[in-house]
Amino acid sequence: MSAPHDRPTAAELIESVREWLERDVAPSVDGRLSFHTRVAMNSLDIVLRELAAGNDMTQRHEDVLASLGVSTDAELSAKIRSGELDGSLAHVLNSLAPVIEDKVRVANPKYL
Amino acid sequence: MESLRRLTGGASRETWRFEADGNDFVLQRVRPGRPDGLGCEPAVLSSAFAAGVPVPEVVVDGSLSTELELPFMIVRAVEGETIARKILRDEEFAHARTILADQLGTAAAKLHSIDHSHISGLASNDQLTMYRKVLDDLGEPHPVFEIAFRWLESNRPTSGTVALVHGDYRLGNVMVNADGLTAILDWELAHVGDPMEDLAWLCVRAWRFGGAFPVAGMGTYQQLFSAYERASGVQPDPDVVRWWEILGTLKWGIMCIAQANTHLSGVARSHELAAIGRRVCENEYDILTMLREVLV
């Protein structure tokens, strides 16, 4: 999948940095730096989850937009804003739910 | 003056603590390049103090002074904890957690009764219009936020009640000790508007900091509303509070985009600000959950 690149894969590289932050950096810093180390680890976790999700989420997003007759979030936003979809806002919202859940599943799965 | 030391402050102010004649004081000075100065915050704080709201007492209003080169104010120091996660989890605050929602309801009622007629310069901007512009300027449209704007526009509360509103009334901006609330801080966003904005902002999920209950993560709506009614005689309308809670969630969602943008545009490169961009979807999720209950 990552050819022509050698191992480690992109995910494995990120994982190695994350492990180093957790094992070596986090225990030896405090205060602001400790907080910022946790923020960094959290960002790497987001990237790892996004890589693991692969193309499924992109596909679902495209499918949902297509089912609503648009191809981008910007286009859908403009349509909602114009009032054109006022009669079916509940339907639009329900259609978007799986996409929003995908985003949260990558960004902060504990939130769901 | 003794033991002058710098405290970690916000983005717009530097904060110092010192002793004088055996008493503790806090000095806040505007950072360079902040033309709006202290605004009307010292006047608002003094009025709040006079009305019996738990706030630090202003002892020197230097908002128009040039003595320290930049506008400043000195307040009597108040002791307590402001870090939300500690207040929500540390054993020390176990009792405080059982009464804080009540205390915040009572304090809100008091602050909404402040006579603000003599305070000049208080903003009274329409929040919905304001954040519409912020989102448009950021140029990152989100369909769920657009649905929220449509719903909020067509379901505006009609109560018409207007009061002095704190504007950032939430965990993180209140000081707490083992007995509960000791002070309400950070009045920079005080303005004139619907008082229910404050009650709702306190309940926005981001400000529950992972706590299981709606009010500051530790209390029920019923606790908050009852305390508010006892102190003010006004019974909060849950539908109006929910309108403001949806708007509050939308506001925080837009602020998350703005904070990530501060990094992305190069104004302040920071991995912390960058990461906040991935919190936008938490607000989309919360809006979705709340709007599904009211949209049919």
Side-chain angles (χ1 to χ4, degrees):
Chain A
M1 182 175 131
S2 54
H5 307 292
D6 297 309
R7 296 273 303 271
T9 62
E12 287 166 341
L13 273 177
I14 292 167
E15 233 174 337
S16 70
V17 177
R18 198 218 176 273
E19 278 171 23
W20 169 73
L21 286 172
E22 184 170 25
R23 188 189 57 223
D24 298 341
V25 181
S28 55
V29 293
D30 49 27
R32 199 93 194 119
L33 206 48
S34 162
F35 170 68
H36 277 147
T37 304
R38 279 184 285 117
V39 172
M41 281 162 38
N42 188 46
S43 283
L44 296 183
D45 285 336
I46 294 174
V47 179
L48 287 171
R49 286 191 293 266
E50 189 170 321
L51 288 171
N55 289 323
D56 291 1
M57 292 184 176
T58 312
Q59 191 58 51
R60 182 154 34 238
H61 182 220
E62 280 173 17
D63 292 349
V64 165
L65 290 176
S67 78
L68 295 169
V70 294
S71 53
T72 63
D73 277 339
E75 218 181 307
L76 180 57
S77 297
K79 253 178 128 169
I80 295 165
R81 193 171 177 176
S82 74
E84 202 182 313
L85 298 173
D86 278 0
S88 55
L89 288 181
H91 169 70
V92 179
L93 206 59
N94 286 329
S95 306
L96 287 168
V99 174
I100 304 304
E101 282 162 19
D102 277 349
K103 289 170 72 172
V104 178
R105 214 165 278 129
V106 162
N108 182 9
K110 289 197 298 283
Y111 202 78
L112 288 173
Chain B
M1 188 194 285
E2 286 172 61
S3 340
L4 179 69
R5 60 193 188 279
R6 184 138 184 202
L7 308 176
T8 51
S12 58
R13 315 249 174 106
E14 52 186 53
T15 310
W16 301 79
R17 188 171 169 131
F18 63 91
E19 279 172 39
D21 302 330
N23 293 306
D24 291 304
F25 297 94
V26 172
L27 178 145
Q28 285 202 326
R29 190 171 77 143
V30 171
R31 285 185 196 275
R34 297 274 173 169
D36 37 346
L38 288 172
C40 38
E41 191 178 348
V44 171
L45 265 180
S46 301
S47 304
F49 186 81
V53 182
V55 290
E57 181 189 359
V58 178
V59 290
V60 181
D61 175 358
S63 52
L64 299 173
S65 160
T66 53
E67 264 178 285
L68 295 179
E69 288 173 9
L70 290 160
F72 70 96
M73 65 176 171
I74 297 171
V75 301
R76 213 173 278 283
V78 179
E79 307 305 326
E81 181 58 65
T82 59
I83 298 172
R85 292 190 184 278
K86 290 192 178 180
I87 298 168
L88 273 163
R89 287 168 185 83
D90 287 4
E91 184 51 37
E92 184 188 348
F93 303 108
H95 170 65
R97 283 193 287 274
T98 65
I99 52 170
L100 195 61
D102 288 71
Q103 293 178 322
L104 288 168
T106 308
K110 270 190 199 153
L111 90 86
H112 294 153
S113 75
I114 295 170
D115 174 15
H116 57 85
S117 55
H118 63 285
I119 307 172
S120 58
L122 278 171
S124 58
N125 300 329
D126 181 65
Q127 299 275 307
L128 204 50
T129 313
M130 227 163 87
Y131 281 89
R132 172 80 265 177
K133 185 172 165 8
V134 175
L135 181 60
D136 287 349
D137 288 347
L138 287 163
E140 281 188 45
H142 286 66
V144 172
F145 291 169
E146 293 305 324
I147 296 175
F149 272 115
R150 285 308 284 176
W151 185 84
L152 289 165
E153 276 159 14
S154 43
N155 292 279
R156 277 181 185 274
T158 51
S159 72
T161 312
V162 162
L164 177 77
V165 174
H166 178 279
D168 202 2
Y169 198 65
R170 63 168 176 89
L171 206 56
N173 290 337
V174 295
M175 203 166 244
V176 174
N177 70 12
D179 299 317
L181 184 65
T182 60
I184 296 164
L185 310 171
D186 298 298
W187 292 70
E188 289 169 69
L189 297 175
H191 60 271
V192 174
D194 183 339
M196 293 303 106
E197 178 188 340
D198 279 337
L199 297 191
W201 187 239
L202 184 61
C203 302
V204 165
R205 192 167 161 196
W207 312 134
R208 300 177 196 173
F209 295 93
F213 292 92
V215 182
M218 62 188 89
T220 64
Y221 289 109
Q222 193 49 51
Q223 270 178 294
L224 178 70
F225 294 171
S226 304
Y228 191 85
E229 189 183 354
R230 276 195 303 276
S232 67
V234 178
Q235 192 179 1
D237 178 343
D239 288 340
V240 175
V241 175
R242 175 156 55 185
W243 188 91
W244 281 103
E245 192 176 327
I246 293 173
L247 173 57
T249 310
L250 175 64
K251 267 169 65 170
W252 174 237
I254 293 170
M255 285 180 200
C256 288
I257 302 177
Q259 296 209 17
N261 189 259
T262 304
H263 163 80
L264 294 169
S265 65
V267 171
R269 297 289 290 176
S270 145
H271 77 301
E272 184 187 357
L273 290 173
I276 293 174
R278 291 299 184 103
R279 294 195 62 190
V280 175
C281 62
E282 294 177 0
N283 300 283
E284 291 180 286
Y285 181 78
D286 292 334
I287 287 173
L288 205 114
T289 308
M290 287 187 281
L291 278 184
R292 274 172 139 181
E293 286 170 22
V294 290
L295 267 178
V296 274

